Amino acid sequence: MASPFKWIDERVDLVGVRKALLDRKMPGGLTWFHTLGSASLTVFAVQVVTGIVLAMYYSPSPDHAYDSIRYLQDQVVSGSTLRGIHHWGASAMVVLVLAHMTRVFVMGAYKYPREINWLIGVVLLFIVLGFGFTGYLLPWDQKAYWATQVGTNIAGTAPIVGGILVRLLRGGSQLGAATLARFYALHVLLLPLMLFIAVLLHLAIIVRQGIAPRTKALDADAPTHTSDAEYPAFYKKAYDRSKGAGVPFWPDITTKDVVMGAAIVLILLQLARSFGAGLEPPADPTDSSYVPRPEWYFLPFFQLLKLVPGSMESFVAVGIPAVLVIVLVLLPFFDRKSTRSFSKRPLARASLLAIAGSCVLLVGASMAEDSAEAVAPETGRPLSSVQRAGRALYAAQGCGSCHAIGGKGGGTKEDAPPLTEIGLKHSGAWLHSFLENPLRFHSETKMPSFGPPTLSHQEIEEMTRYLVTLRGPNGDLKKPEFVDTFPPAPKSKE
Ligand code: HEC
């Protein structure tokens, strides 16, 4: 009996498959930038694997979604690392796809004969953003809820179709159970299917056409336009020449791809271990003081909307994405110049600089605003308006002259303990009573009383709400272990 390899080969032509996929010749001089596409594919695989495991624990209903994530984080072995990888993988996916697209743009690889594959790439980019938008809601915490509220509102400002669009996204007029079910279905069924098909097409075309060579190989003696009648013949000759001086896909190119893929997986693992994925308090639809923040890659757009006057908002909200899609789709059909070297394409250079520059400025502006109004610098956490009021009282009452938070403030006098992790140590109820009258807890205490008339009950409660947010670095991942001991009930003489 023949070997299993031979048996299969006779039936499905394994040798032919190997020739077509692995032995094909690639143009020489490919750079590390050429590995970005395969790196995106690697992260996609990571997302599929981690996503399947997450789905085994996740429950897509407002009553259980948050708890199911909490359970995964706190009780399941490596659960928080797993979720961390999926979380950071989503960002990595956006970074890599954008970087890959930029590489293709810079090297003019969207030009003849790769226009169709550029279009599929544009579709892939929007699928990836769709994954980000739908995935953001699933943990059903404050951040998820309010960011999606804002995101779906933006869709609602579209002229004519706005109302229908919001209903379509939310599954009703309000964000609720129907929205969560919808986003979940999109995230785990429709989008993966679309991505899978688009990726297969993208790869099939790359295998058919071969990867674009270094720009020099196609610029020398080229007809000026790719639409010129003689261009295809020129292209074929130049491409075959560059392939002749090239290397085989296996092992030369694959080695680089594997090194890059492995490096990225290790980085994801490290990010997941060190920073986790974060989980805010459960979604509270009544807490309208919450300051929503979208995922970082939607920030430039979000910030732009904040900057334009209200009357222009709906115009920009729909206009900018529409223009972006149109420009990306039309690019390979309007740019018919055959020049591929970036140094000889001044318009391409100026556009890339303008887009990247404005994104950086917008993100910078948004981060500056965030830290000024919403995020407490000592914890990096966004604060609600009540918590912000508490934080202001903390400063105004001079608590920082005795106590330190995260190493800042505090003196050596009075042995006041640092409050860096006070939210893990004491419950809100305990803190409230303690601030009101520390003497009841320790008769010798040097901690001043802040109860009325110094501060009102309302103010003490505000300060308490701030104190419970103090949970130290990675506080979201830690479980509080309260050591609240209350003094015995006051005697009747009090
Ligand atoms: C004069 C210095 C001083 C000032 C001002 C001060 N504290 Fe204290 N605080 C202390 C000391 C000393 C203790 C430890 C006392 C004890 O355990 O009885 C303490 C204990 C605490 C505790 C309990 C810590 C623990 O780990 O159990 C909290 C909470 C607290 N302070 C909050 C505040 C807040 C909020 C303010 C401002 C409104 C404030 N403190 C102002 C000195 C101060």
Side-chain angles (χ1 to χ4, degrees):
M1 176 152 160
S3 75
F5 177 84
K6 227 171 143 201
W7 190 91
I8 301 175
D9 182 42
E10 271 171 15
R11 282 152 186 87
V12 299
D13 188 18
L14 283 181
V15 173
V17 171
R18 197 189 72 195
K19 276 214 183 95
L21 292 182
L22 298 183
D23 296 346
R24 69 203 150 97
K25 266 292 200 65
M26 308 283 276
L30 297 185
T31 64
W32 281 100
F33 293 115
H34 286 86
T35 62
L36 290 167
S38 91
S40 315
L41 191 63
T42 306
V43 177
F44 175 46
V46 169
Q47 294 302 84
V48 170
V49 173
T50 50
I52 289 174
V53 184
L54 287 175
M56 290 176 182
Y57 289 94
Y58 182 71
S59 166
S61 78
D63 288 342
H64 303 295
Y66 184 83
D67 290 336
S68 67
I69 302 267
R70 256 272 91 96
Y71 176 81
L72 176 85
Q73 295 253 127
D74 296 346
Q75 309 290 328
V76 177
V77 179
S78 299
S80 68
T81 308
L82 186 83
R83 186 168 163 250
I85 296 176
H86 199 74
H87 171 87
W88 288 99
S91 284
M93 194 85 181
V94 176
V95 171
L96 289 170
V97 169
L98 285 177
H100 173 56
M101 228 170 162
T102 310
R103 192 282 284 173
V104 168
F105 178 73
V106 166
M107 298 192 178
Y110 57 86
K111 299 189 180 201
Y112 175 92
R114 298 187 173 74
E115 298 94 329
I116 295 179
N117 230 12
W118 170 264
L119 291 186
I120 298 174
V122 173
V123 171
L124 281 168
L125 173 69
F126 284 93
I127 297 177
V128 167
L129 293 178
F131 266 111
F133 184 61
T134 51
Y136 209 61
L137 180 67
L138 303 183
W140 203 252
D141 61 356
Q142 286 280 70
K143 189 166 138 178
Y145 182 89
W146 290 104
T148 306
Q149 190 79 327
V150 173
T152 48
N153 275 341
I154 291 175
T157 59
I160 307 165
V161 291
I164 303 173
L165 211 56
V166 177
R167 278 173 176 277
L168 209 64
L169 280 171
R170 291 192 185 154
S173 54
Q174 301 296 320
L175 209 174
T179 324
L180 187 56
R182 227 157 248 232
F183 274 39
Y184 185 61
L186 291 175
H187 194 82
V188 305
L189 294 171
L190 184 63
L191 289 171
L193 183 70
M194 285 167 65
L195 189 71
F196 198 70
I197 294 173
V199 164
L200 270 186
L201 281 174
H202 204 61
L203 291 180
I205 295 180
I206 293 169
V207 172
R208 287 292 295 170
Q209 294 183 326
I211 196 163
R214 299 296 297 270
T215 51
K216 274 188 232 98
L218 293 177
D219 272 357
D221 310 321
T224 40
H225 291 94
T226 52
S227 47
D228 291 346
E230 63 273 28
Y231 194 84
F234 157 82
Y235 175 86
K236 191 170 182 316
K237 246 173 74 195
Y239 191 74
D240 286 347
R241 203 180 322 118
S242 81
K243 236 167 51 172
V247 292
F249 181 67
W250 168 271
D252 294 57
I253 304 291
T254 33
T255 310
K256 250 182 173 169
D257 284 342
V258 168
V259 169
M260 183 72 166
I264 287 176
V265 170
L266 286 180
I267 293 173
L268 285 181
L269 191 65
Q270 194 51 45
L271 285 168
R273 290 247 184 100
S274 329
F275 302 105
L279 190 60
E280 294 191 354
D284 177 1
T286 59
D287 178 10
S288 50
S289 67
Y290 186 85
V291 187
R293 289 163 311 145
E295 190 62 306
W296 62 265
Y297 40 84
F298 290 122
L299 267 185
F301 180 54
F302 192 66
Q303 185 66 18
L304 189 69
L305 285 178
K306 281 209 231 163
L307 292 179
V308 299
S311 54
M312 295 277 290
E313 200 177 310
S314 78
F315 182 71
V316 175
V318 187
I320 296 274
V323 168
L324 191 72
V325 173
I326 293 172
V327 168
L328 287 176
V329 166
L330 292 185
L331 176 70
F333 303 102
F334 271 82
D335 181 12
R336 292 285 175 91
K337 287 245 178 64
S338 66
T339 320
R340 296 180 195 237
S341 297
F342 202 45
S343 56
K344 295 188 190 118
R345 290 158 56 212
L347 185 62
R349 280 196 350 238
S351 330
L352 188 64
L353 195 72
I355 294 177
S358 42
C359 286
V360 169
L361 286 179
L362 285 167
V363 170
S366 149
M367 278 163 61
E369 236 172 64
D370 256 13
S371 59
E373 58 180 44
V375 174
E378 65 276 14
T379 51
R381 258 166 181 273
L383 297 185
S384 71
S385 55
V386 173
Q387 292 161 346
R388 280 207 296 282
R391 185 166 178 271
L393 280 167
Y394 182 91
Q397 295 296 324
C399 314
S401 66
C402 292
H403 291 286
I405 295 176
K408 293 234 173 65
T412 42
K413 55 173 180 178
E414 325 289 11
D415 313 321
L419 301 179
T420 314
E421 300 195 346
I422 195 74
L424 295 173
K425 199 171 148 201
H426 289 297
S427 68
W430 188 92
L431 287 167
H432 189 116
S433 330
F434 182 79
L435 294 179
E436 211 161 66
N437 189 358
L439 282 173
R440 258 183 68 209
F441 288 76
H442 305 133
S443 51
E444 312 271 76
T445 192
K446 303 230 178 63
M447 162 90 185
S449 281
F450 287 91
T454 313
L455 293 177
S456 68
H457 284 292
Q458 167 86 34
E459 287 170 322
I460 291 202
E461 185 53 28
E462 285 169 1
M463 197 138 65
T464 303
R465 297 271 196 96
Y466 166 63
L467 290 178
V468 296
T469 69
L470 301 174
R471 300 170 63 134
N474 288 328
D476 288 325
L477 301 177
K478 294 183 196 147
K479 265 182 296 176
E481 283 179 24
F482 296 140
V483 286
D484 298 342
T485 37
F486 288 90
K491 299 267 156 54
S492 52
K493 69 176 168 143
E494 217 197 60

